[in-house]
């Protein structure tokens, strides 16, 4: 069943060609800085705000951050959980994700089983997502015990993505890891996109408008950026990046 947030994301992709999502890592912000960032990125037309981080453990801090963002902006807040401690009742939706190239069953299905009853209780919209770690993999690759798929093996990423689709997952995320030195290369995006017909999310190491546009031109439907706001503040280049995402070449 397609519920409200999924419908909203799909309609925005349909309308704009591709969309931008802003990731806020609760461990890097306070309630007031999270609100300030959220307000700015909403002005720049980001489609939704994702909240999560690889090493987050404080649910009370997560709750405070989500509440602060919800209080400030109208765009939906989608949880991006690293574990069962990433589930806040104050959000609108949650990426219900399985880390497809983890070697630890906990990240494939264990955490999801533990978290599912809470998601139901809180009435959060679950967005089924196949999560694939590529390239360097970064902190998330280590924490999630993934074997990252190297950029030289795009066809391996594509078969993971296809498996996600056959499982009934409705989004696929190619994750290079937050702060990756090289974002997911266009060749990998192209090959993955060609093999599936569900929306493709690309994130990790995207720092400027050109990289975002390249990913979109290669086939990304949703672009996620996190670090760039923290590194450079909500300045002009970030504005250009968000605004540039919608214009498919
Ligand atoms: C990380 O893909 C996201 O999960 C965003 O990465 O922080 O490098 O933008 P950055």
């Amino acid at each position: 069943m397609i519920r409200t947030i999924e419908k909203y994301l799909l309609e925005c992709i349909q309308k704009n060609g591709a969309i931008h999502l802003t990731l806020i890592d609760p461990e890097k912000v306070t309630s007031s800085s999270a609100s300030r960032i959220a307000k700015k990125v909403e002005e720049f037309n980001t489609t939704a705000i994702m909240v999560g981080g690889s090493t987050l453990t404080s649910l009370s801090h997560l709750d405070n951050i989500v509440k602060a963002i919800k209080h400030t902006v109208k765009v939906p807040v989608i949880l991006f959980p690293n574990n069962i401690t990433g589930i806040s009742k104050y959000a609108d939706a949650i990426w219900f994700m399985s880390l497809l190239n983890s070697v630890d069953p906990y990240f494939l299905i264990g955490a999801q089983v533990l978290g599912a009853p809470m998601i139901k209780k809180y009435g959060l919209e679950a967005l089924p997502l196949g999560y694939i770690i590529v390239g360097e993999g970064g902190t998330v690759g280590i924490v999630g015990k993934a074997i990252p798929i190297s950029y030289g093996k795009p066809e391996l990423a594509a078969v993971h993505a296809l498996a996600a689709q056959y499982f009934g997952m409705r989004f696929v995320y190619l994750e290079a890891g937050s702060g990756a030195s090289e974002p997911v290369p266009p060749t990998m995006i192209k090959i993955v996109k060609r093999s599936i017909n569900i929306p493709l999310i690309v994130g990790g190491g995207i720092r400027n408008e050109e990289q975002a546009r390249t990913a979109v031109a290669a086939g990304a439907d949703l672009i996620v950026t996190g670090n760039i706001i923290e590194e450079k503040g909500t300045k002009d280049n970030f504005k250009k990046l968000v605004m540039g995402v919608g214009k498919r070449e």
Side-chain angles (χ1 to χ4, degrees):
M1 185 185 63
I2 294 186
R3 284 174 60 193
T4 327
I5 305 298
E6 184 170 355
K7 198 160 173 268
Y8 164 77
L9 294 175
L10 296 177
E11 282 171 4
C12 290
I13 294 168
Q14 177 86 31
K15 193 167 135 220
N16 301 309
I19 58 176
H20 176 270
L21 308 181
T22 301
L23 173 64
I24 295 181
D25 183 342
E27 292 194 303
K28 294 183 179 163
V29 291
T30 60
S31 297
S32 58
S33 64
S35 295
R36 206 173 48 242
I37 291 169
K39 195 165 186 301
K40 266 285 174 245
V41 298
E42 185 179 57
E43 278 168 26
F44 298 158
N45 287 335
T46 202
T47 301
I49 294 174
M50 289 167 46
V51 181
S54 306
T55 51
L56 174 73
T57 52
S58 169
L59 178 55
S60 60
H61 182 59
L62 173 69
D63 277 343
N64 288 336
I65 298 300
V66 174
K67 270 196 271 184
I69 298 170
K70 284 297 299 171
H71 189 74
T72 316
V73 294
K74 289 201 172 62
V75 287
V77 173
I78 305 174
L79 298 167
F80 185 44
N82 60 324
N83 208 326
I84 50 170
T85 44
I87 308 171
S88 169
K89 62 181 162 198
Y90 301 103
D92 300 293
I94 182 164
W95 291 117
F96 194 76
M97 51 205 274
S98 177
L99 206 179
L100 298 179
N101 54 331
S102 176
V103 294
D104 185 343
Y106 183 76
F107 295 104
L108 289 163
I109 185 63
Q112 297 78 351
V113 168
L114 295 175
M118 278 196 284
I119 292 171
K120 186 170 187 183
K121 184 172 159 198
Y122 297 158
L124 292 167
E125 181 177 333
L127 302 163
L129 167 70
Y131 191 49
I132 306 165
I133 311 277
V134 298
E136 292 167 16
T139 307
V140 68
I142 297 166
V143 173
K145 300 191 184 117
I147 299 178
I149 300 171
S150 69
Y151 289 155
K153 299 273 177 204
E155 67 289 347
L156 262 184
V159 289
H160 278 72
L162 186 59
Q165 178 176 311
Y166 287 163
F167 265 129
M169 292 165 176
R170 296 204 289 267
F171 295 83
V172 163
Y173 193 141
L174 283 183
E175 171 69 88
S178 189
S181 54
E182 287 297 322
V184 186
T187 327
M188 182 177 263
I189 298 173
K190 262 185 211 150
I191 291 174
V192 170
K193 180 67 183 174
R194 229 184 277 142
S195 73
I196 54 173
N197 54 28
I198 52 176
L200 177 61
I201 308 172
V202 174
I206 297 173
R207 293 180 175 78
N208 55 49
E209 185 190 1
E210 196 194 329
Q211 289 171 329
R213 279 172 170 276
T214 302
V216 170
D221 301 293
L222 302 92
I223 297 289
V224 178
T225 66
N227 264 335
I228 179 78
I229 328 167
E230 290 140 15
E231 279 173 10
K232 307 242 163 117
T234 49
K235 300 245 173 69
D236 248 24
N237 62 340
F238 183 71
K239 181 177 175 180
K240 278 192 203 141
L241 188 160
V242 178
M243 296 192 152
V245 166
K247 300 166 203 152
R248 226 187 247 276
E249 308 274 311

